[in-house]
Amino acid sequence: MYLNKEFMIALRTGNINELLKKYQDDISIRKQALGKINLPTGRIVANDPMCNFQMEPFERTVAPGEYPVMLYIAHMNDDQRVAFAEIRFTEELPAEFELATVSGDDVSKLGDDDFFGYGVDTGTGGFMDEITCGELKKIIYESDDYTFDPLDDALDKSYVPTYDTANVCLPDSELNVVAFSSGFGDGTYPSFWGFDKNGDLCSLITDFMVIDNEDET
C-alpha cells in the first residue's frame, strides 16, 4: 500500500524542508492555514466539491466539532502546488498512519503502490461533513449551471499562480466547504488518518502526490 509516512510526519515536526533536501532539493514546503471546518456529525467526506462525485464519508469518524485545516504548499521555482491538505484534530504529532477508507474498500487487496482515494475531475479537492455534502449536492443540482457560485467565486478570488483555495459556508448555514487545488490537477488521491504515540487520532491528511521519497541521485 502506498504510504508517504516519512514526509507526513515531517510536515508536523517542521522538518519537511530539511528532509526534502535528501530527495528533491528544488522543492520547499510552506504551511498555509485555511480556517476551520465544521463537522457536526464527525463523518468526513473528501472529494472534488465542484462535481461531488464522491459522497461516501470515511468509515472512521471523529468527535463532532470545528477543526483547523492546514495546507502544505510545494514551491518549485515559479510553480506552487498544494502538496498535502490536513484536518488537525489535536496538536499531538502523528507517529503512525492508516489509509482512510470508505465502505467497501478492502485494504488487504492493495499492492505495494496501490491505494484507495477520491477522484478529482476539476483540479480541486476538498473536505466537508457528510451533511454538508448532501446539502451541497442539492444546491448544485438545483442551480441553472450545475455550480455553487460562492465556491467558484472564492476560488477565483484567491488564485495565485498556480493554486487557489476557499472556505465557504452554504447559504444561511454554518455548514462549510473547504476547497483547494489538487496538486498537479486531476487524478485520484489518498487520505490517511494520523495517530499519535498513544494511538489517539490527531489528523487526517490528503497526499496530492506532488513529492515522493524516491532518491533521484
Side-chain angles (χ1 to χ4, degrees):
M1 181 190 72
Y2 172 87
L3 174 59
N4 218 340
K5 177 180 176 180
E6 185 179 26
F7 281 118
M8 290 194 293
I9 290 176
L11 292 174
R12 289 292 303 273
T13 61
N15 296 327
I16 184 64
N17 288 318
E18 181 179 345
L19 176 61
L20 276 171
K21 292 178 182 178
K22 294 171 52 181
Y23 302 104
Q24 295 173 262
D25 59 9
D26 60 337
I27 298 179
S28 63
I29 296 288
R30 173 180 57 86
K31 183 173 69 174
Q32 177 179 334
L34 200 54
K36 291 187 176 183
I37 185 169
N38 182 17
L39 301 174
T41 71
R43 295 176 61 82
I44 301 171
V45 175
N47 67 6
D48 181 336
M50 307 296 286
C51 55
N52 244 16
F53 289 148
Q54 171 63 47
M55 296 189 62
E56 187 80 10
F58 292 127
E59 291 184 290
R60 185 178 290 278
T61 63
V62 302
E66 293 187 345
Y67 300 97
V69 176
M70 302 289 175
L71 301 182
Y72 298 91
I73 312 300
H75 290 254
M76 302 161 283
N77 298 317
D78 294 330
D79 200 3
Q80 303 176 82
R81 300 285 172 168
V82 179
F84 300 89
E86 175 192 23
I87 303 178
R88 188 172 296 184
F89 307 115
T90 76
E91 290 303 314
E92 297 298 318
L93 299 179
E96 297 294 338
F97 292 91
E98 170 190 286
L99 182 65
T101 58
V102 301
S103 178
D105 290 343
D106 186 350
V107 176
S108 68
K109 295 182 178 180
L110 294 176
D112 290 344
D113 296 322
D114 296 335
F115 57 83
F116 295 113
Y118 70 86
V120 169
D121 198 45
T122 71
T124 306
F127 296 124
M128 65 190 80
D129 189 85
E130 181 182 25
I131 288 180
T132 309
C133 187
E135 292 301 313
L136 178 61
K137 179 181 178 180
K138 293 178 185 177
I139 291 171
I140 289 175
Y141 282 7
E142 292 171 1
S143 69
D144 293 334
D145 53 359
Y146 202 71
T147 61
F148 176 41
D149 288 340
L151 179 57
D152 289 354
D153 293 344
L155 289 169
D156 288 343
K157 290 177 181 178
S158 72
Y159 179 78
V160 294
T162 43
Y163 75 100
D164 48 25
T165 64
N167 188 334
V168 177
C169 285
L170 302 188
D172 302 315
S173 171
E174 295 182 352
L175 300 173
N176 65 324
V177 178
V178 182
F180 30 78
S181 295
S182 53
F184 290 109
D186 296 348
T188 300
Y189 300 105
S191 300
F192 299 88
W193 299 108
F195 300 87
D196 63 27
K197 62 183 180 181
N198 296 316
D200 295 323
L201 186 65
C202 60
S203 65
L204 174 68
I205 300 178
T206 299
D207 182 354
F208 289 113
M209 306 177 81
V210 172
I211 60 175
D212 61 50
N213 58 0
E214 294 182 2
D215 195 339
E216 298 179 352
T217 61

